[in-house]
Amino acid sequence: MEADFLATVLLSSLSSASILLIATIGLAVVFGLMGVINLAHGEFLMIGAYTALTATQAGVPYLLSIPIAVAVTMAIGALVEVLIISRLYGRIFDTMLATWGISIAFYQLAVLTFGTVSPGIGMPQISVQIGDYSLALYPLLMNVVALLMLGFVYLLMTRSVYGMKARASIQVPEMARAIGISSSRVNTLTFALGCGLAGFAGAVLLPIVPATPSMGFAFVIKAFLTVVVAGPVTLTGSALAAIGLGGGASVTASFLTSVAGDAFFFIVTALLLWRFPLGISARWRRKL
Amino acid sequence: MFKLVGATGGYGKTTIIRDVSLEVRHGEVVALLGRNGVGKSTLMRFASGSIPAMAGHVEIDGKVAPTAPEKRARLGLGYVPQGRFVFPRMTVAENIAVAAAATGHDHKAAVAAALADFPMLKPKLDDLAGGLSGGQQQVLALARALATQPRILLLDEPTEGVQPSIIDEMAGILKRINTERGIAILVAEQDLDFCLSIAGRAYVMEKGRIRMEVDRDTLRADTALQQDLLGV
């Protein structure tokens, strides 16, 4: 096997893992800091993608459309938290059911508003040459974006007062309130943040994954499994799970078929959950 | 300055404490005594707002306290629960800082103040709280409560699972914060010696009610009463 082919496969697999991680971080934040599984996460990603698409179609430069998408999804996320999620804390199955309902509603809303197909915005046509092969630059750039996102969330959660409050609230909720933290406000902010990260993912992935109403479904299952495999040390756990599962699946897909790649993803997930029912990070002594 | 009036509460449909009234005056240290399972911890959780009231209420400075525990904390109610409940995946410094920040105080100053009170925490400052020993966690839980700058401190079984040398140190610290800062203390305990060393008077609980109120000297002298009420 040629070295340049191997390098190409590895690089593009790393990009796939990063794309999975970008799509997952928001879900991981909401699950890790609120104990809520947001099954509408994929739809927030979709809303972010459509917001960026609509903005660029209206003449806004693509880079500027990304913060707009974040702002829109954060606002909708805060509204959903106050109106629905805040009534269901500590009832994990009820929140899953409620967010699933929200996801269906948002999906239908998108079908009614945008139709089932919509134009992509096209990937910047720059590629890098590796031996006989050439790789598009934009997906490679996603490795950097994933690292920046991880760094941002890590710093926010470890260095800011809000981050300390959010971690205290999920670790010992009763004591968090007893020392003066109003968990309801912290939760609204955390949920909005998770939705904003989903919106960011939808917007930043738009050149690779075109906006369609059903795009959320494609991401949410794998993102959900990644978070569950990660366990309580959410951020580090999710990064490792995304690289292992997403990267592994992509390598497998390159050598065999994309079905084999998916099979790899789900079989390894099942094996990991069998060996580590509480997630791979259950015994780690780390903050995030 | 701190009162429980007709406190009745428990878990679900089970009532544990019934019609309990007690008072802690300004700058006073009061003990809450009683055997295991008489409802001392439930009473403490009622006072902090961690369990809802079935009847009765809490008064701080003569006014009825709000029901939300976070609002009580901001009114100056500090709570150290039985079993410590430090935030395990946060560092020692963060445990203290978050309590100060949540009650609107400067969090860096709070960590510095805590180190002055508890020098033993200094080498552990960047360690995760979950990895500390029981005694160290107890000291941390106390430091965390003090970081909220309370005027009344609720301590639930602070000596449980703590080695004797740290118990003595803790008694000294509590006496000092009480006299120097005028922080009133209500302490639920089974360790009679510890209570007698810091508290001026005590309420004795039995079957979810206050059976009697005694001052330190009466309790110290009356071994028959100690035997009868506390099994010591």
Side-chain angles (χ1 to χ4, degrees), chain A residues 41-108:
Chain A
H41 179 77
E43 277 57 46
F44 280 97
L45 202 133
M46 179 264 290
I47 293 171
Y50 270 112
T51 307
L53 179 66
T54 311
T56 45
Q57 282 171 343
V60 177
Y62 171 61
L63 273 182
L64 208 62
S65 75
I66 296 175
I68 297 176
V70 172
V72 168
T73 44
M74 277 190 85
I76 298 176
L79 203 66
V80 165
E81 200 278 340
V82 171
L83 293 179
I84 300 168
I85 312 292
S86 63
R87 296 161 209 280
L88 301 171
Y89 284 122
R91 294 155 59 182
I92 191 161
F93 291 110
D94 293 353
T95 49
M96 284 174 81
L97 211 58
T99 51
W100 189 38
I102 295 166
S103 105
I104 294 170
F106 281 162
Y107 166 73
Q108 284 301 337

Side-chain angles (χ1 to χ4, degrees), chain A residues 219-242:
Chain A
F219 280 110
V220 80
I221 295 172
K222 284 187 177 176
F224 170 62
L225 290 176
T226 305
V227 168
V228 173
V229 167
V233 185
T234 347
L235 211 57
T236 324
S238 297
L240 278 184

Side-chain angles (χ1 to χ4, degrees), chain A residues 158 161 164-165 167-169 171-172 174-184 232-233 281-287, chain B residues 45 50 68-70 73-74 79 81 85-91 94 97-99 101-103 107 128 130-131 144 148:
Chain A
T158 53
V161 166
M164 284 196 295
K165 287 183 183 174
R167 283 184 293 140
S169 297
Q171 290 179 22
V172 194
E174 186 181 319
M175 268 323 290
R177 297 188 69 191
I179 57 162
I181 299 172
S182 66
S183 3
S184 62
V233 185
S281 65
R283 287 162 176 276
W284 294 359
R285 287 221 169 276
R286 279 187 65 89
K287 282 192 212 171
Chain B
R45 298 183 71 201
S50 297
E70 62 267 30
R74 288 184 212 136
Y79 175 46
F85 291 102
V86 295
F87 303 117
R89 285 184 206 271
M90 292 171 72
T91 65
E94 286 175 333
V98 73
T103 42
H107 59 91
L128 293 188
R144 176 179 65 182
T148 66

Side-chain angles (χ1 to χ4, degrees), chain A residues 252-265:
Chain A
T252 314
S254 312
F255 288 110
L256 302 165
T257 62
S258 62
V259 176
D262 280 345
F264 172 91
F265 191 103

Side-chain angles (χ1 to χ4, degrees), chain B residues 10-121:
Chain B
Y11 306 95
K13 283 180 181 160
T14 315
T15 309
I16 311 275
I17 53 167
R18 286 172 204 280
D19 195 25
V20 175
S21 296
L22 60 78
E23 182 181 8
V24 181
R25 288 183 281 271
H26 191 81
E28 199 183 17
V29 181
V30 177
L32 189 62
L33 301 171
R35 294 173 193 247
N36 250 334
V38 295
K40 298 191 298 293
S41 286
T42 307
L43 189 69
M44 287 302 206
R45 298 183 71 201
F46 183 100
S48 74
S50 297
I51 55 167
M54 292 172 179
H57 63 266
V58 173
E59 281 178 24
I60 299 174
D61 291 332
K63 288 188 209 104
V64 176
T67 50
E70 62 267 30
K71 289 186 181 153
R72 286 188 190 172
R74 288 184 212 136
L75 280 177
L77 191 70
Y79 175 46
V80 180
Q82 183 178 23
R84 300 121 195 163
F85 291 102
V86 295
F87 303 117
R89 285 184 206 271
M90 292 171 72
T91 65
V92 167
E94 286 175 333
N95 266 272
I96 297 165
V98 73
T103 42
H105 305 297
D106 180 71
H107 59 91
K108 289 197 181 105
V111 175
L115 288 185
D117 283 337
F118 309 99
M120 62 177 288
L121 291 178

